[in-house]
Amino acid sequence: MKKPKLSFWQILNLSFGFLGVQIGYSLQNGNTSRILEALGADVHSIGYFWLAAPLAGLIVQPIIGLSSDKTWTRLGRRIPFILLGSIISALAMFFMPNAGNFTNILPPLVFGAVMLLLMDTSFNITMQPFRALVGDMVNDEQKNLGYSLQSALINFGAVFGSLLPWLLTKAQVANVPAVGEKVADSVIWSFYIGGAILLLSVLWTVFRTKEYAPKEHALYNNINLEAAEKKEKSNIFTLISNAPKIFWQLGVVQFFSWFALFLMWVYTTRAIANQVWGAEALDAKSLGFNEAGDWTGVMFAFYSAIAAFFALLIPTIAKAIGRKKTYSFSLLFGGIGLISMFLVHDKNLLLLSMVGVGFAWAAILAIPYAMLSSSLPAEKMGVYMGLFNATITIPQIAAGVLGSTLIALFGGSPIIIIVIAGISMAVAGLAVFFVKEKTELSH
């Protein structure tokens, strides 16, 4: 029996909480390097702190996926994890920018690193079930729409989260740390506002979404519950060995995509500070550096806005030229955008470089999940989505470990690292052509 067709609003409600999660995630992406440098980290070691995110995801997401596959409560199977993760995420966001106020517990840099790890872990607890929730609830015909709407919500959230410090600065909130403080008020209040919105948007999904009960879920996905219970003994290693081929093929694309994204998130602030503001931004507490930090948020908001609107076009474009070509061309445009930053010394022109990044980001958030979910067994959707997250976290770990080596190799020039990110994104675009979709295999 096929899953029922959902209305546009039902599909939107499934992922609405991701709007708030992405506001928090974007605040983290745009401001973590800025906060950590202010707390005492230097640009050569900053990539190691960022390893918290992928390490948390690598460990947490498969566990959450496996647990949510087996969980059935009055709230559902995925929603309890989404709710728990959002509460912890909001608390970590409230504490992170105030790391300098807890010196009686831990040194500021250590406290900041601990909060970053906690924030990343809880973001992963929240995000992973959202991917599986769409796979659970949406039929194959609507999956392009389901994941594209999720991508659009993610990017609308990213626009707001990335712009928030800049908007608060325009509203006359201090953009330079007060005497004796380490982090500017504009950043601190951004994290407060982002954490509150995260909780509220997740509560919207919690109260507006009713997951299928076990019998309904089994009926819609042609699962024999008794047989599924007997098979339940399979461990993570068995699941990995039995993963469909497309899991690995998409994994190669993901590796080069996320290697590029990690380098961009970590090094953009320092790269544009050197490239555009120059000597005015050498000190991490200087006005020039904080202006570069705000402009990084504007750039990230701009590519997220492009991605939000492009995500809504993906189902139509994919229907016309196919998912693979849509995915590949988007990644190639992203690579060109990143490489072009090497030639730009005007902050406003940097926004043009972000157009291609927006196309790539929209495709990365939607297309691989739509392609993969159609090839996964419904009773193991959560754990496989969690395992697939390794194709996001492993490249980020590699980029974090290699980042300091690369920056030293190229004379401490962060803009060269952005060029390397662009090349990696272009390689990902070419790798898409080696992916074999379920529809191709059936011909």
Side-chain angles (χ1 to χ4, degrees):
M1 185 174 178
K2 287 180 66 176
K3 292 177 192 173
K5 190 171 183 178
L6 302 181
S7 71
F8 174 88
W9 297 108
Q10 285 175 307
I11 296 174
L12 186 72
N13 289 339
L14 287 176
S15 296
F16 191 77
F18 227 140
L19 178 77
V21 176
Q22 193 61 37
I23 289 172
Y25 199 57
S26 296
L27 282 167
Q28 175 188 285
N29 286 343
N31 296 281
T32 291
S33 291
R34 176 183 183 179
I35 293 170
L36 292 175
E37 280 202 51
L39 294 176
D42 67 70
V43 71
H44 295 89
S45 62
I46 203 90
Y48 293 124
F49 289 94
W50 277 77
L51 286 174
L55 283 171
L58 184 64
I59 296 166
V60 171
Q61 291 221 19
I63 294 171
I64 296 301
L66 185 61
S67 300
S68 65
D69 280 341
K70 298 177 180 179
T71 298
W72 298 97
T73 70
R74 288 177 64 186
L75 284 176
R77 66 196 301 221
R78 314 294 182 191
I79 285 175
F81 295 91
I82 291 171
L83 182 59
L84 173 66
S86 69
I87 293 169
I88 301 171
S89 298
L91 290 173
M93 288 184 70
F94 297 152
F95 284 114
M96 168 113 186
N98 291 298
N101 297 329
F102 295 91
T103 51
N104 58 323
I105 301 174
L106 287 170
L109 188 57
V110 176
F111 189 90
V114 170
M115 286 301 105
L116 176 61
L117 179 60
L118 183 60
M119 201 186 319
D120 280 315
T121 302
S122 53
F123 280 156
N124 277 287
I125 292 171
T126 308
M127 288 191 291
Q128 195 284 330
F130 270 116
R131 302 288 191 200
L133 184 62
V134 173
D136 287 344
M137 301 289 292
V138 178
N139 64 36
D140 284 344
E141 293 172 16
Q142 294 184 296
K143 274 184 180 170
N144 278 352
L145 175 62
Y147 285 110
S148 293
L149 273 179
Q150 190 171 89
S151 178
L153 283 166
I154 288 169
N155 284 296
F156 283 125
V159 171
F160 183 76
S162 298
L163 280 179
L164 197 48
W166 180 79
L167 290 171
L168 290 176
T169 301
K170 293 296 180 186
Q172 306 302 311
V173 178
N175 190 36
V176 177
V179 176
E181 299 296 326
K182 296 182 180 296
V183 180
D185 282 351
S186 59
V187 176
I188 293 172
W189 278 100
S190 294
F191 274 64
Y192 290 166
I193 294 167
I197 295 174
L198 189 159
L199 272 178
L200 291 172
S201 63
V202 166
L203 287 173
W204 180 277
T205 289
V206 169
F207 290 114
R208 295 278 180 167
T209 299
K210 181 174 173 55
E211 294 186 67
Y212 298 133
K215 288 184 179 178
E216 285 180 300
H217 182 262
L219 183 65
Y220 292 144
N221 292 285
N222 298 314
I223 299 169
N224 183 320
L225 286 175
E226 291 182 10
E229 286 173 9
K230 290 177 183 176
K231 289 182 183 176
E232 200 60 58
K233 300 292 182 185
S234 57
N235 59 37
I236 294 290
F237 298 105
T238 305
L239 290 166
I240 292 172
S241 65
N242 292 333
K245 282 186 179 180
I246 194 172
F247 180 99
W248 304 106
Q249 293 164 347
L250 286 170
V252 174
V253 180
Q254 291 274 91
F255 181 90
F256 289 104
S257 303
W258 285 90
F259 188 89
L261 289 168
F262 187 88
L263 292 179
M264 179 188 74
W265 289 331
V266 174
Y267 293 104
T268 293
T269 295
R270 178 48 71 184
I272 69 166
N274 293 356
Q275 186 98 335
V276 178
W277 279 264
E280 299 174 26
L282 293 178
D283 183 355
K285 294 183 182 179
S286 66
L287 179 60
F289 181 79
N290 279 286
E291 285 180 348
D294 282 351
W295 196 252
T296 296
V298 173
M299 289 166 60
F300 287 4
F302 186 76
Y303 86 66
S304 297
I306 296 291
F309 290 107
F310 184 64
L312 297 175
L313 298 176
I314 284 177
T316 303
I317 297 170
K319 191 173 182 179
I321 67 172
R323 282 194 291 212
K324 280 175 60 171
K325 286 181 181 177
T326 306
Y327 193 14
S328 178
F329 294 156
S330 300
L331 295 176
L332 288 169
F333 281 128
I336 292 167
L338 288 171
I339 293 168
S340 72
M341 287 176 64
F342 180 76
L343 304 172
V344 180
H345 294 271
D346 180 279
K347 70 175 188 178
N348 295 306
L349 289 178
L350 285 168
L351 297 178
L352 291 177
S353 298
M354 293 291 104
V355 173
V357 175
F359 290 164
W361 182 233
I364 288 167
L365 292 176
I367 298 178
Y369 298 99
M371 294 170 79
L372 179 65
S373 63
S374 297
S375 300
L376 296 178
E379 70 275 17
K380 291 183 169 58
M381 182 72 70
V383 68
Y384 270 119
M385 284 293 187
L387 289 170
F388 189 63
N389 190 63
T391 67
I392 295 173
T393 56
I394 290 172
Q396 291 185 71
I397 292 167
V401 170
L402 292 174
S404 58
T405 304
L406 289 170
I407 204 165
L409 190 63
F410 291 99
S413 175
I415 195 65
I416 299 295
I417 306 304
I418 302 298
V419 173
I420 292 170
I423 294 169
S424 182
M425 187 73 79
V427 171
L430 296 174
V432 173
F433 287 104
F434 295 95
V435 177
K436 299 292 182 187
E437 287 193 81
K438 185 178 179 181
T439 49
E440 292 179 274
L441 295 172
S442 62
H443 290 326

